[in-house]
């Protein structure tokens, strides 16, 4: 009896799950393992879309349909490179597909982005979406916020910050002496999102500079 083509897909976000769906719909007989670093799948849809965007998050329903197929197995809480190596994957599978996505914010390379209170929007989005990679608390006491970038993420950050103000939690950062600081959220091609300036309540957390 012919064995099915064994495929490992690293990353269970939309790209990885759609890749699995295309393989299943092909003429090949396949068996697919989806490796996911996070405790839950769906990547950007789960950890990068504002909770008040139900129509976008509705895409999860179609992704669930793929995960429910018998050819697919989800293996979560596994970090490739730590829990299993790429060489090990290659030795156990006929093919390995990488669909890890963008995890960190890219440095804008402009003066001031290295100052205290400047953060990539990916960190703030991770905070309000419950991404376990990022801080669980932020100082929401600022009186002014600057968002650099007017793409989808920039608008999401602006809406969330406005919601903080509307609920009585003023902004994202308060400097000493009662003076407030602006916040910068900047984005560009290839970035996870804009940059935002804010101070964490956990000031020991390093400023992210990974690409």
């Amino acid at each position: 009896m012919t064995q099915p083509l064994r495929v490992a897909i690293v990353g269970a976000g939309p790209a990885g799950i759609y890749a699995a769906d295309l393989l299943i719909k092909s003429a090949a007989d396949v068996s697919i393992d989806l490796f996911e670093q996070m405790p839950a799948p769906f990547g950007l849809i789960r950890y990068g879309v504002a909770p008040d965007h139900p129509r976008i998050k509705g895409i999860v329903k179609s992704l669930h349909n793929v995960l429910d197929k018998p050819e697919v197995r989800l293996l979560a809480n596994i970090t490739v490179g730590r829990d299993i190596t790429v060489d090990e994957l290659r030795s156990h599978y006929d093919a390995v597909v990488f669909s890890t996505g963008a995890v960190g914010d890219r440095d804008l390379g402009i003066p001031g982005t290295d100052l205290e209170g400047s953060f990539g929007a990916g960190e703030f989005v991770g905070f309000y979406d419950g991404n376990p990679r990022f801080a669980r608390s932020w100082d929401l006491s600022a009186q002014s916020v600057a968002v650099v970038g007017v793409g989808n993420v920039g608008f999401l950050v602006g809406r969330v910050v406005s919601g903080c103000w509307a609920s009585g939690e003023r902004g994202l950062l308060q400097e000493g002496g009662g003076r407030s600081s602006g916040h910068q959220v900047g984005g560009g091609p290839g970035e996870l999102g804009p940059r935002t300036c804010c101070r964490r309540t956990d000031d020991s957390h390093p400023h992210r500079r990974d690409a």
Side-chain angles (χ1 to χ4, degrees):
M1 182 177 178
T2 304
Q3 294 295 318
L5 178 71
R6 301 197 67 225
V7 179
I9 298 179
V10 181
I17 295 175
Y18 285 137
D21 191 37
L22 288 173
L23 286 168
I24 293 170
K25 292 176 179 177
S26 70
D29 180 18
V30 295
S31 173
I32 302 167
D33 283 347
L34 276 162
F35 290 86
E36 173 56 45
Q37 183 181 28
M38 304 297 280
F42 311 131
L44 182 66
I45 301 300
R46 165 62 182 84
Y47 296 105
V49 176
D52 60 352
H53 263 38
R55 284 186 295 179
I56 295 179
K57 285 190 176 283
I59 297 172
V60 167
K61 293 181 181 178
S62 63
L63 300 180
H64 260 301
N65 291 336
V66 178
L67 293 182
D68 286 340
K69 294 182 178 180
E71 298 92 341
V72 177
R73 181 173 61 164
L74 174 65
L75 303 171
N77 277 325
I78 295 177
T79 299
V80 173
R82 184 192 67 191
D83 303 314
I84 188 171
T85 67
V86 173
D87 286 340
E88 287 174 325
L89 289 176
R90 287 173 174 165
S91 68
H92 287 89
Y93 295 90
D94 299 304
V96 180
V97 178
F98 292 92
S99 57
T100 53
V103 176
D105 294 289
R106 190 180 67 185
D107 194 335
L108 292 179
I110 59 177
T113 56
D114 58 340
L115 298 176
E116 181 183 5
S118 174
F119 295 97
E123 293 181 85
F124 188 61
V125 171
F127 153 66
Y128 67 66
D129 263 345
N131 188 328
R133 283 196 183 103
F134 298 101
R136 298 274 48 81
S137 57
W138 290 74
D139 181 354
L140 300 175
S141 62
Q143 296 179 354
S144 63
V145 175
V147 178
V148 179
V150 290
N152 292 339
V153 177
F155 280 112
L156 288 177
V157 170
R159 286 196 302 106
V160 172
V161 171
S162 298
C164 292
W165 281 330
S167 65
E169 297 182 75
R170 300 291 299 277
L172 296 177
L173 172 76
Q174 181 69 46
E175 292 185 339
R179 297 179 58 192
S180 62
S181 169
H183 307 285
Q184 175 183 332
V185 186
E191 290 192 50
L192 181 59
R195 301 196 63 77
T196 185
C197 287
C198 35
R199 178 184 299 146
R200 309 172 184 279
T201 55
D202 175 14
D203 289 330
S204 64
H205 193 288
H207 181 86
R208 289 180 66 87
R209 277 286 180 263
D210 50 325

